[in-house]
Amino acid sequence: MNVVSVKDYQELSEYTCNEIERVVRSTPHSVLGLATGGTPLGTYREMINGFKERNVDYRHVTTFNLDEYIGLGRDHPQSYYTYMMNNLFKHINVSPENIHIPNGSAEEMDSECLRYERLIEEIGPPDLQILGIGSNGHIGFNEPGTSITSETHIVELAESTRKANARYFSSLDEVPQHAITMGIQSILKSKRILLLASGSHKAKAVKTLLECLPDEQFPASVLKGHGDVTLVVDESAGG
Ligand code: GLP
């Protein structure tokens, strides 16, 4: 795993945006794997600036998002669909038909998992996958113990994940219990991965990641088995 140490959140966001823009400029029909959470927000803000000020063209780009809550409905303010629309997609020229986010309100969730995984196989895999890291090491919504062979699947969210994400809801009770997420195997199919960590609340996870051997109990560590992963980490997260 390569490590890029940056000064702060702003530098992390600029670095990540720059890598994305490089891919999009060199391969107009590129596939991007995108994440939600607080960490990529700055990257998306920089991408919007790049679209407006640097003529970056997303017209032919395809995107795959990692995960979605089950049971919120895509128009819910806290759905990842709404997050992606508000924080990125509606501000750049990506074509709506090229945007892929798992459907957390599908009638048949098992078929939705299969449909999504097939789509990644048909169109993907991502040329570049952006990932955040949960404090328990989760990537996407792959909680500790998730098999390295997992593809898109349904998960029961860990209590610590629900608590961490409760800040976006009016109470913990409102945080969904389940989500649909690309699996570890689906993520590992990406050609290149940038794992982002910013802030002192991520320092412990970063330390564990750097020190441990690949272990399903700390999902981010299995990325060490992939040939092209870069941890982008700022000083307060231990970089
Ligand atoms: C969330 C998301 C992940 C994200 C992680 C860290 O639960 N499902 O994709 O990377 O937790 O979030 P944050 O960036 O807000 O710390």
Side-chain angles (χ1 to χ4, degrees):
M1 180 177 286
N2 310 308
V3 179
V4 169
S5 300
V6 294
K7 190 162 140 273
D8 54 18
Y9 182 65
Q10 180 57 27
E11 261 192 29
L12 174 136
S13 304
E14 286 170 14
Y15 176 89
T16 309
C17 171
N18 202 29
E19 293 302 299
I20 292 172
E21 290 186 355
R22 221 142 45 108
V23 171
V24 171
R25 281 192 199 280
S26 65
T27 313
H29 285 82
S30 55
V31 178
L32 300 176
L34 300 175
T36 50
T39 311
L41 282 174
T43 301
Y44 298 153
R45 194 184 54 227
E46 292 304 318
M47 287 169 72
I48 295 167
N49 289 341
F51 170 68
K52 291 181 179 158
E53 293 162 14
R54 295 186 291 274
N55 298 318
V56 184
D57 187 0
Y58 292 92
R59 201 172 1 162
H60 300 301
V61 168
T62 295
T63 64
F64 280 98
N65 263 81
L66 285 167
D67 47 14
E68 177 60 285
Y69 289 116
I70 290 181
L72 284 192
R74 79 181 203 176
D75 295 328
H76 188 283
Q78 296 310 330
S79 75
Y80 286 164
Y81 177 90
T82 300
Y83 168 107
M84 289 307 301
M85 289 299 153
N86 289 343
N87 293 308
L88 182 65
F89 294 147
K90 73 179 184 195
H91 306 286
I92 61 174
N93 68 338
V94 61
S95 306
E97 66 272 21
N98 292 344
I99 294 172
H100 304 289
I101 303 176
N103 179 3
S105 314
E107 294 222 335
E108 274 290 327
M109 287 310 297
D110 288 344
S111 332
E112 173 59 11
C113 292
L114 283 174
R115 180 194 73 85
Y116 203 70
E117 194 66 36
R118 257 187 232 130
L119 214 53
I120 297 169
E121 258 153 47
E122 276 167 32
I123 309 173
D127 295 289
L128 182 61
Q129 172 71 56
I130 305 302
L131 291 178
I133 180 169
S135 35
N136 62 1
H138 76 234
I139 47 175
F141 268 135
N142 293 287
E143 300 287 15
T146 306
S147 165
I148 193 168
T149 61
S150 56
E151 298 195 319
T152 304
H153 64 292
I154 307 300
V155 288
E156 183 173 355
L157 298 177
E159 206 46 25
S160 61
T161 300
R162 292 186 63 245
K163 281 187 182 147
N165 289 1
R167 64 189 192 278
Y168 299 115
F169 293 80
S170 37
S171 73
L172 179 60
D173 287 349
E174 285 183 28
V175 184
Q177 305 274 356
H178 295 90
I180 174 171
T181 183
M182 277 166 61
I184 305 275
Q185 181 67 40
S186 341
I187 292 171
L188 289 173
K189 287 176 190 165
S190 307
K191 294 180 194 159
R192 187 174 164 224
I193 298 173
L194 292 184
L195 175 64
L196 314 181
S198 170
S200 54
H201 61 301
K202 293 294 168 72
K204 193 160 169 257
V206 168
K207 188 169 186 291
T208 308
L209 171 67
L210 293 174
E211 288 173 359
C212 75
L213 292 169
D215 181 349
E216 287 176 351
Q217 291 309 320
F218 195 81
S221 67
V222 305
L223 298 172
K224 291 180 177 183
H226 186 286
D228 195 351
V229 178
T230 301
L231 169 69
V232 188
V233 55
D234 69 10
E235 276 174 15
S236 55

